[in-house]
């Protein structure tokens, strides 16, 4: 089945800097790659997703890139703000249900 | 439109007790699933269903049962609770069997402690 590896597990950045979280997946049939943000005590919420026919997608300060050949995808957050502090999860899905990475705890220091 | 509704939000069980976590969605989603979340382990799939009458096991199904008698409801049963089942449980749903690029929506979570 699918296996998703996520790095780093924790990340601290200064407010205004960029943050990058990287994920790799194992199943070449995977074709949908969402990213979820989870604040403390809350449910995971979708922030951006990308499908396998697209290499990059942007939404304001957030962007995702996908390299199908290398089986990795990344989340980029620019101009980080304190409210970006949360746990971020990548996930992958193809012929199997959604499989999540173990998460990255992002701390934005003011 | 309530989305995905889970009950109870908090529960304390004694070892060996049984209970059912309820999940309901009002979005006419075919796909429903249960995840558990433990520190440092991410979200792990317990069971899922692609439609009424159809269920399948995920990554960590042992100790849990599910059924899907209606499109709206997908209860998760703990047969004989163990301390290892102390976790946060999330129900999630989406359109189209969950295998395509449809957004998965999560419930608010159920915090379960087994003592």
């Amino acid at each position: 089945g699918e296996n998703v590896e996520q790095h780093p597990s924790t990340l601290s950045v200064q407010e205004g800097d960029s943050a990058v979280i990287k994920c790799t997946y194992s199943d070449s049939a995977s074709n949908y790659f969402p990213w979820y943000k989870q604040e403390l005590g809350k449910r995971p919420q979708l922030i951006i997703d990308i499908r396998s026919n697209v290499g990059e997608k942007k939404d304001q300060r957030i962007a995702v890139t996908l390299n199908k050949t290398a089986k990795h995808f990344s989340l980029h957050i620019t101009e980080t703000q304190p409210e970006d502090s949360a746990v971020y999860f990548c996930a992958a899905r193809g012929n199997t249900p959604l499989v999540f990475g173990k998460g990255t705890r992002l701390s934005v220091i003011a | 439109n309530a989305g995905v509704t889970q009950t109870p939000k908090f529960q304390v069980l004694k070892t060996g007790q049984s209970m059912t976590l309820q999940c309901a969605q009002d979005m006419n989603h075919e796909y429903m699933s249960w995840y558990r979340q433990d520190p440092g382990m991410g979200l792990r799939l317990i069971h899922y269903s692609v439609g009424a009458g159809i269920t399948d096991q995920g990554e960590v199904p042992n100790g849990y049962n599910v059924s899907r008698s209606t499109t709206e409801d997908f209860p998760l049963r703990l047969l004989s609770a163990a301390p290892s089942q102390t976790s946060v449980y999330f129900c999630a749903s989406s359109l189209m069997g969950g295998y395509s690029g449809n957004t998965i929506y999560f419930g608010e979570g159920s915090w379960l402690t087994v003592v």
Side-chain angles (χ1 to χ4, degrees):
Chain A
E2 176 65 273
N3 182 50
V4 177
E5 300 280 344
Q6 182 172 348
H7 299 280
S9 56
T10 60
L11 179 60
S12 292
V13 299
Q14 293 289 331
E15 182 178 358
D17 287 350
S18 296
V20 180
I21 302 171
K22 298 182 179 181
C23 290
T24 60
Y25 63 98
S26 61
D27 188 351
S28 57
S30 287
N31 56 15
Y32 175 62
F33 307 92
W35 286 87
Y36 284 81
K37 176 183 180 181
Q38 186 179 31
E39 297 176 345
L40 190 62
K42 302 289 183 65
R43 75 185 92 187
Q45 298 212 312
L46 180 73
I47 55 172
I48 196 167
D49 57 16
I50 191 167
R51 288 161 176 77
S52 60
N53 58 346
V54 175
E56 183 175 2
K57 182 177 179 180
K58 289 183 180 179
D59 183 3
Q60 299 182 340
R61 297 185 296 108
I62 294 174
V64 291
T65 58
L66 172 64
N67 183 326
K68 285 186 61 181
T69 303
K71 294 194 196 132
H72 66 71
F73 55 114
S74 301
L75 176 71
H76 304 253
I77 306 174
T78 59
E79 300 173 15
T80 53
Q81 302 167 2
E83 52 264 38
D84 294 328
S85 295
V87 179
Y88 291 81
F89 292 97
C90 62
R93 182 167 68 187
N95 296 322
T96 58
L98 199 64
V99 176
F100 287 85
K102 289 182 166 52
T104 297
R105 182 174 300 279
L106 173 64
S107 299
V108 180
I109 304 164
Chain B
N1 189 333
V4 181
T5 303
Q6 286 181 236
T7 56
K9 186 150 188 171
F10 300 98
Q11 183 72 49
V12 179
L13 281 180
K14 292 183 179 179
T15 298
Q17 285 185 320
S18 63
M19 77 157 296
T20 299
L21 299 177
Q22 302 290 345
C23 177
Q25 52 88 15
D26 61 359
M27 298 175 282
N28 204 29
H29 285 172
E30 300 95 334
Y31 179 79
M32 296 185 75
S33 56
W34 279 101
Y35 288 87
R36 60 176 288 173
Q37 184 174 30
D38 304 292
M41 297 298 292
L43 292 145
R44 293 183 293 169
L45 184 65
I46 305 171
H47 286 284
Y48 65 99
S49 168
V50 298
I54 305 169
T55 63
D56 209 343
Q57 297 181 350
E59 179 185 358
V60 287
N62 292 340
Y64 307 95
N65 270 359
V66 292
S67 60
R68 185 91 180 272
S69 57
T70 67
T71 299
E72 295 78 20
D73 300 297
F74 191 45
L76 178 72
R77 298 182 186 85
L78 280 70
L79 309 173
S80 177
S84 61
Q85 293 179 303
T86 293
S87 188
V88 182
Y89 292 84
F90 286 98
C91 180
S93 73
S94 77
L95 287 170
M96 298 203 46
Y99 293 166
S100 60
N102 288 297
T103 301
I104 285 187
Y105 297 90
F106 284 86
E108 292 188 324
S110 296
W111 275 254
L112 176 66
T113 301
V114 182
V115 297

